Amino acid sequence: MDERLLSRLRIITEEEQAILDGQGVQRERYTSGRDFVVDSEKLLEKGKLIEIRPHTRFVHFPRHRHNYVELLYMCSGTTTHILNGTQKLVLRQGDLLFLNQAVYHEILPAAEGDVGVNFILLPQFFDRSFRMLEQENVLRDFLISTLAGESAFAGWLHIAAGDILPVENLLENMIWTLLEKKPGVNLLNQTTMGLLLQNLTLFAENINRTLPDSREENAVFTTLQYIETRYRDGTLEEIAARLHMPPYTLSRLLTRHTGANFKQLLQQRKLQQAVYLLSHTGMSADAVLEAIGYENSSYFYRKFKEKYGCTPAAYRAGRRL
């Protein structure tokens, strides 16, 4: 991280000084309710969709939830998080942690050199960002459903992004505009977040759920990653063997967590890629058919019409109107 930004974020805040003086976490800073649900109205100025605050160090931050989406970014050092009461996750420099409103979260004490930033994000902040994810894909859908609180998963995403320079640059851009209190930050940072999400979908292998207590979620997410890149010729048997589980077990997990089995998810990805090729290339429908791995043209046309309500040719013509 840029040293000028990091030096500003290292400064001990008024709240942290009170903690060092023995006062502990002051709940009234975060909520007015009996349950510890951190309230966006306590942290966001009226009319703003995004704000940042340095992560509170030197104290065990007790179990809580948020009524907004939180993004934690580790600028230096590490922090240790307990998710939903049981899952222990260590964030290292460059890591991201997205949390939706359903997640129970507590944080172990951090040292002075463990500098993190909490982004407070209202759900509507993502409206423009998601529209920028032009190409549909399974991972994008998973990300959207998780952040929107509609996912059957636990509602959090851990992303090891320390080696992805564009991600670091985009995050630093957002941090700088928010620290500088620049006008128009909602629109600027919504656009920057859209670019951030675009980059993250390109680095699917860095989006992980590798905690030992999340075996089912790990298997499902690994399968989604597999479908993303192997939609043309991937098979349930191949990915099940890689995960050391019977194909029928994996298919059942997929259905439970995503609402669709492997065949349906594979078909969904093929159709998404077909739409992308029809919209962004001059390939004929037959060439698109071959590119996405469909051998049965009548089946492809039928499934395409079921999903999009028209033929591939009509879809392309409509996009040009």
Side-chain angles (χ1 to χ4, degrees), residues 27-267:
R27 284 181 51 143
E28 62 272 15
R29 287 179 177 267
Y30 300 97
T31 183
S32 300
R34 184 171 59 182
D35 296 329
F36 202 166
V37 178
V38 182
D39 187 354
S40 62
E41 292 188 2
K42 291 278 189 177
L43 306 176
L44 276 171
E45 294 179 16
K46 189 173 182 180
K48 293 185 70 174
L49 302 177
I50 179 173
E51 186 55 275
I52 60 168
R53 62 191 310 274
H55 168 66
T56 302
R57 298 164 291 183
F58 314 120
V59 72
H60 182 168
F61 204 95
R63 177 182 166 101
H64 63 282
R65 291 190 298 113
H66 319 93
N67 64 5
Y68 53 88
V69 175
E70 183 171 65
L71 168 60
L72 294 92
Y73 174 55
M74 282 308 302
C75 305
S76 68
T78 65
T79 49
T80 301
H81 304 258
I82 310 298
L83 304 172
N84 292 324
T86 59
Q87 297 173 307
K88 186 176 181 180
L89 175 66
V90 177
L91 291 188
R92 307 185 187 282
Q93 183 173 330
D95 280 7
L96 302 174
L97 178 62
F98 284 95
L99 302 168
N100 73 13
Q101 300 97 314
V103 178
Y104 285 94
H105 181 215
E106 61 183 293
I107 312 157
L108 301 188
E112 185 172 354
D114 299 323
V115 179
V117 170
N118 298 335
F119 289 83
I120 295 93
L121 304 157
L122 295 185
Q124 57 267 38
F125 173 83
F126 291 97
D127 291 349
R128 176 181 292 271
S129 306
F130 287 152
R131 288 198 299 272
M132 292 176 63
L133 298 178
E134 187 174 82
Q135 183 179 4
E136 293 182 297
N137 59 65
V138 173
L139 289 176
R140 186 203 72 160
D141 294 345
F142 175 83
L143 183 66
I144 290 174
S145 66
T146 299
L147 296 182
E150 299 169 353
S151 175
F153 284 81
W156 56 270
L157 288 173
H158 169 219
I159 305 169
D163 295 326
I164 308 175
L165 184 59
V167 169
E168 180 182 11
N169 289 340
L170 290 165
L171 285 162
E172 289 190 15
N173 287 344
M174 286 198 289
I175 292 169
W176 184 81
T177 59
L178 291 163
L179 287 177
E180 291 292 318
K181 306 293 184 183
K182 295 294 184 182
V185 294
N186 280 340
L187 179 58
L188 177 61
N189 284 315
Q190 283 175 303
T191 304
T192 305
M193 179 62 74
L195 294 172
L196 175 65
L197 296 179
Q198 285 178 334
N199 275 275
L200 293 177
T201 60
L202 295 176
F203 293 92
E205 69 276 8
N206 296 82
I207 304 176
N208 60 62
R209 309 184 64 89
T210 55
L211 296 183
D213 294 335
S214 302
R215 184 171 183 269
E216 287 189 5
E217 295 180 4
N218 295 340
V220 172
F221 198 72
T222 298
T223 304
L224 294 179
Q225 292 175 316
Y226 172 82
I227 289 171
E228 182 63 26
T229 57
R230 294 290 305 279
Y231 61 85
R232 194 177 190 282
D233 57 359
T235 66
L236 175 62
E237 289 71 23
E238 181 181 40
I239 185 59
R242 187 184 300 180
L243 291 168
H244 306 291
M245 63 174 56
Y248 68 86
T249 300
L250 179 57
S251 187
R252 199 162 57 232
L253 288 179
L254 290 170
T255 302
R256 184 191 310 161
H257 286 290
T258 71
N261 60 32
F262 182 87
K263 181 179 179 180
Q264 291 167 330
L265 288 169
L266 198 69
Q267 177 181 287

